[in-house]
Amino acid sequence: MTRYLFDNTGIQTENRFQALEACYDPFSRRQLARTGLAPGWRCLEVGGGGGSLGDWLGERVGPGGEVTITDLDPRWATRDRPPHVRVLRHDIVTEPLPLPADGYDLVHARLVLLHLPERLDVLDRLVAALRPGGLLVLEEFDCTWQPVLTAPDAASAALYERVQAALMAQLEKRGADGAWGRNVYGAMVRAGLTDLTATTYAESWTGGGTGVGLHQANARQVADGLRAEGLTDSELARYHALLANPAFTVNSLPLISVTGRRRAAGEAAAR
């Protein structure tokens, strides 16, 4: 059994990727562009999902650069690409990273380490994959803050919160950390990176819109687990109806994006 609660074998995966790409890719692209991303860079996209960000990186680095997209199950990223963009089936926890001779200029991972009990070890591996002076961009949710902004009634708001709590319980049983997003900056400091910056992105998601489609896909994929947390079929049906109701609005899952630089050889730890 995969360690991920939302593995890529589910029929809901395409809808989940579509929601994530529509809601968060523009922000992620802005954060990656801020690194100075340029033609000729060598980039690693870890947990590439549907491959949208890896493809965008390939466009930015051009044929003189190199982009490697990895995923535990890359089936949703399989399509024709230019030779300088490759997709690999890879387990970031157990398998050696594919490395260029002197490391990557840029490593990016979105919503990967949150799911991994070994997240700190994986972070160290990602730092080690950078060339001296290379940049790591980690983007993770803080699942602890997603307030309901409007709801048809108090019972509807309470139902949403109950389903989300059950979902978090299922994630935690797989070793995920729903608060990881707020801890990424400190973890990257401890990993020895410097020149750190952090930016948080959130927006409102209204019932029937693209964003709540992420909640729809997640709840449908792990419906059995939600039932195991005590939710009934009637409550789940009401939850999905609520997510389709334009009278319901919730804050999106905040995505915290942290960028840090690996010190150059001989650079002092204190700056």
Side-chain angles (χ1 to χ4, degrees), residues 139-255:
E139 301 188 301
E140 301 282 1
F141 283 153
D142 180 354
C143 302
T144 67
W145 194 77
Q146 43 181 315
V148 173
L149 303 179
T150 63
D153 49 55
S156 296
L159 175 63
Y160 173 82
E161 291 168 356
R162 185 179 173 203
V163 173
Q164 292 308 113
L167 186 60
M168 288 302 104
Q170 284 288 298
L171 280 165
E172 289 168 4
K173 289 176 181 177
R174 295 291 187 98
D177 178 3
W180 170 239
R182 68 178 63 186
N183 297 319
V184 170
Y185 189 102
M188 289 173 66
V189 170
R190 289 189 292 274
L193 295 174
T194 189
D195 298 338
L196 273 80
T197 62
T199 305
T200 302
Y201 175 78
E203 61 183 8
S204 60
W205 287 349
T206 296
T210 301
V212 293
L214 177 63
H215 292 315
Q216 292 269 20
N218 289 347
R220 293 192 190 282
Q221 184 164 357
V222 299
D224 288 343
L226 297 178
R227 294 185 188 99
E229 298 296 331
L231 287 158
T232 66
D233 287 342
S234 175
E235 287 171 324
L236 292 175
R238 285 169 46 212
Y239 173 76
H240 287 291
L242 177 65
L243 294 182
N245 187 342
F248 174 77
T249 303
V250 67
N251 200 82
S252 69
L253 289 155
L255 186 67

Side-chain angles (χ1 to χ4, degrees), residues 56-119:
W56 180 83
L57 287 169
E59 294 172 1
R60 294 296 298 262
V61 304
E66 176 183 312
V67 177
T68 300
I69 306 168
T70 72
D71 202 283
L72 194 63
D73 182 352
R75 69 182 68 190
W76 300 96
T78 301
R79 52 184 170 271
D80 290 336
R81 288 184 167 86
H84 70 285
V85 181
R86 61 173 177 165
V87 177
L88 298 178
R89 184 183 301 274
H90 180 262
D91 188 331
I92 187 63
V93 174
T94 63
E95 298 175 341
L97 278 166
L99 293 175
D102 56 350
Y104 289 101
D105 300 293
L106 173 66
V107 173
H108 175 250
R110 185 175 73 186
L111 305 177
V112 177
L113 276 65
L114 179 155
H115 294 278
L116 302 176
E118 309 89 348
R119 59 187 62 84

